[in-house]
Amino acid sequence: MRVLKKFVYWFVLPIVVLLIILTLFGRQWVFSYLSPPETFVLADAPTAPDYDNAYFWVAHPNKIDTSDLVPVGINTSGDMENKEVDVFFVHSTGFVGPGGWNSTMQSENSEAQSIEYMLSSMASIFNGCCHIYAPHYREAQLQSFMPENFEPGTQALDLAYQDVEAAFDYYLQHFNKGRPFIVVGHSQGTTHALRLIEEKIDKTPLYRQLVVAYVVGYWLPKDKFSRGFEQVTPCTGAGQTGCIVSYDTYGQDGQLDATVPHWYKTGWESSQLKDGSIKPTLCVNPLSWTNTLDKVSEKAHLGAMPVEFKRTPLNMLLANNPGFIFQALPALTSELTWAQCKEDGRLEIMQQTDNVFSNHLDQPNKSYHILDFSLFYGNIRQNAMQRVSHFMATHDASQSE
């Protein structure tokens, strides 16, 4: 009886209270509860990660982690036996609050479950071609991207980038040994990856080692190629190297309505122009690997990854990691959708209904944001190996001259 009373007190009662609060105050209370402080104070930031400690690599060749998994039915005989290329993977936002502006990176927090999902549905794509390095970093809280939080939000993003840069420097010093590499990012990870490419790779000797960058899910403004990058260009073909692949996925008649900050060497800027419109964004179609507006048939679709997102709203409110670890990945679903880049930069696909890829968030803009990678899992996996093969062949040829 005493055990039952403890269970009711510590588990059942908090949930009941939470449900009552949600019923009475709804979304406004939840938003306020999850919000960071009004101002960013550097002295309050969590302790920086130490990349000499394996804990601060959520994926690493010397660790057994979810990025090692291969979907059921994938023929790994085509995988590269001697993986001579690395992937530097920067994960997207898992930290939604409550707390400060940046994640404490603790394994018991709910964002750790999000990282588990990212490793399974995104990073594992690249284990056919490459060794995967993915740093744990003090990611900025989700509300850092909201226009009303521009100043403290970009300060939080600056702090997060410091970690990503430090991790990349550590990777170069201790692991790279002159090997070619691919840079991969999604959402917040993309904004850090783009800055990393511009500051550390573009117009430096490291550019010769860059196979490709898959930087997806962050509305990459086209003006980055006139105001930022000098060597790096948008990818226009399946075998091209030293270039950038970027797209953002929406259902039919979706709306590119995101107002988010972008880093330039002159400082942070909003994606929204003075007239209220959104800057034109880059779209490289993952079914054709071109940036044309041609509609590509579902016959070209090699498979989507129907992996489940295990973190629940209650986990997020309680800042709790449910602790689910992926032991296996399901088979891919092929010929699921066509894809077409639109004039505003959206990648439009067939609206998914009554399946695991349905837009369960029911967003009015029809965004498939968290599925940007998993919807095109098979195509990206094949393309990464194709670009690596082309890079290595070209590199060998140039070395022999």
Side-chain angles (χ1 to χ4, degrees):
M1 182 64 70
R2 186 172 297 173
V3 172
L4 179 60
K5 285 182 178 179
K6 286 184 177 181
F7 176 78
V8 171
Y9 183 79
W10 290 108
F11 183 75
V12 178
L13 186 60
I15 293 177
V16 171
V17 171
L18 180 61
L19 290 174
I20 292 172
I21 292 172
L22 291 177
T23 302
L24 293 176
F25 300 101
R27 292 185 178 182
Q28 185 175 358
W29 177 85
V30 173
F31 184 81
S32 176
Y33 169 72
L34 295 175
S35 293
E38 290 186 7
T39 58
F40 175 89
V41 179
L42 183 58
D44 295 336
T47 302
D50 173 10
Y51 292 111
D52 197 41
N53 183 340
Y55 173 82
F56 293 107
W57 294 94
V58 294
H60 191 284
N62 294 335
K63 294 176 70 172
I64 297 174
D65 56 70
T66 305
S67 72
D68 300 325
L69 298 178
V70 177
V72 170
I74 288 284
N75 184 355
T76 58
S77 63
D79 291 0
M80 297 177 172
E81 294 183 10
N82 299 317
K83 296 177 182 178
E84 301 178 83
V85 175
D86 299 330
V87 161
F88 188 80
F89 176 86
V90 190
H91 68 75
S92 44
T93 306
F95 179 41
V96 299
W101 281 100
N102 295 82
S103 168
T104 60
M105 303 171 291
Q106 294 176 335
S107 59
E108 62 267 25
N109 289 352
S110 66
E111 57 264 31
Q113 188 66 72
S114 293
I115 293 173
E116 178 72 8
Y117 170 81
M118 297 163 199
L119 294 179
S120 67
S121 64
M122 303 178 197
S124 68
I125 291 173
F126 301 96
N127 61 32
C129 69
C130 308
H131 293 303
I132 301 169
Y133 295 86
H136 216 345
Y137 66 98
R138 291 172 292 180
E139 57 177 282
Q141 212 253 30
L142 181 63
Q143 293 186 42
S144 300
F145 298 93
M146 296 183 177
E148 60 270 25
N149 293 331
F150 186 86
E151 184 173 348
T154 53
Q155 289 176 297
L157 289 167
D158 281 335
L159 181 71
Y161 175 74
Q162 289 178 22
D163 291 350
V164 172
E165 183 181 48
F168 187 68
D169 287 342
Y170 190 93
Y171 157 76
L172 290 175
Q173 182 179 355
H174 296 274
F175 307 133
N176 177 259
K177 299 179 181 179
R179 291 160 55 92
F181 57 84
I182 296 172
V183 176
V184 180
H186 181 254
S187 194
Q188 177 174 169
T190 284
T191 194
H192 300 316
L194 288 169
R195 183 173 177 178
L196 188 74
I197 294 167
E198 188 170 345
E199 290 204 296
K200 308 284 289 189
I201 300 170
D202 188 58
K203 294 293 288 184
T204 77
L206 280 177
Y207 177 73
R208 295 196 296 268
Q209 294 171 240
L210 178 66
V211 178
V212 66
Y214 297 93
V215 281
V216 174
Y218 199 76
W219 311 281
L220 171 55
K222 289 182 178 179
D223 69 359
K224 289 293 290 182
F225 297 96
S226 59
R227 299 177 54 201
F229 302 119
E230 296 183 49
Q231 277 183 300
V232 179
T233 61
C235 292
T236 57
Q240 185 181 354
T241 59
C243 58
I244 282 178
V245 170
S246 188
Y247 61 85
D248 303 281
T249 317
Y250 293 80
Q252 291 160 266
D253 301 317
Q255 184 180 2
L256 187 73
D257 62 356
T259 302
V260 293
H262 292 283
W263 181 85
Y264 293 82
K265 289 179 179 177
T266 53
W268 289 90
E269 297 179 14
S270 171
S271 59
Q272 187 174 45
L273 300 172
K274 291 181 179 180
D275 63 2
S277 63
I278 302 297
K279 291 182 180 181
T281 61
L282 175 66
C283 176
V284 175
N285 192 322
L287 296 189
S288 66
W289 304 109
T290 67
N291 57 358
T292 68
L293 302 183
D294 297 330
K295 186 175 182 178
V296 185
S297 165
E298 60 269 22
K299 296 296 183 181
H301 183 256
L302 300 181
M305 164 56 65
V307 69
E308 293 183 72
F309 188 63
K310 292 291 184 178
R311 188 177 74 169
T312 67
L314 185 59
N315 294 141
M316 290 187 281
L317 285 169
L318 298 178
N320 171 55
N321 176 11
F324 179 82
I325 303 295
F326 287 91
Q327 303 296 331
L329 297 180
L332 301 182
T333 304
S334 60
E335 298 189 11
L336 180 76
T337 181
W338 45 261
Q340 182 179 23
C341 288
K342 308 300 283 188
E343 289 187 1
D344 62 0
R346 284 176 298 119
L347 178 71
E348 188 172 278
I349 67 167
M350 183 187 302
Q351 190 75 24
Q352 301 300 305
T353 57
D354 300 325
N355 63 27
V356 294
F357 304 101
S358 300
N359 193 346
H360 57 282
L361 297 178
D362 195 29
Q363 298 186 52
N365 64 354
K366 300 184 180 179
S367 171
Y368 285 104
H369 183 64
I370 65 171
L371 303 177
D372 284 318
F373 270 104
S374 57
L375 279 167
F376 301 100
Y377 191 105
N379 292 81
I380 301 171
R381 184 179 178 91
Q382 181 194 68
N383 183 251
M385 289 189 280
Q386 181 180 358
R387 292 188 199 267
V388 166
S389 294
H390 186 268
F391 182 94
M392 298 306 295
T394 304
H395 178 76
D396 290 343
S398 65
Q399 288 292 96
S400 62
E401 292 178 358

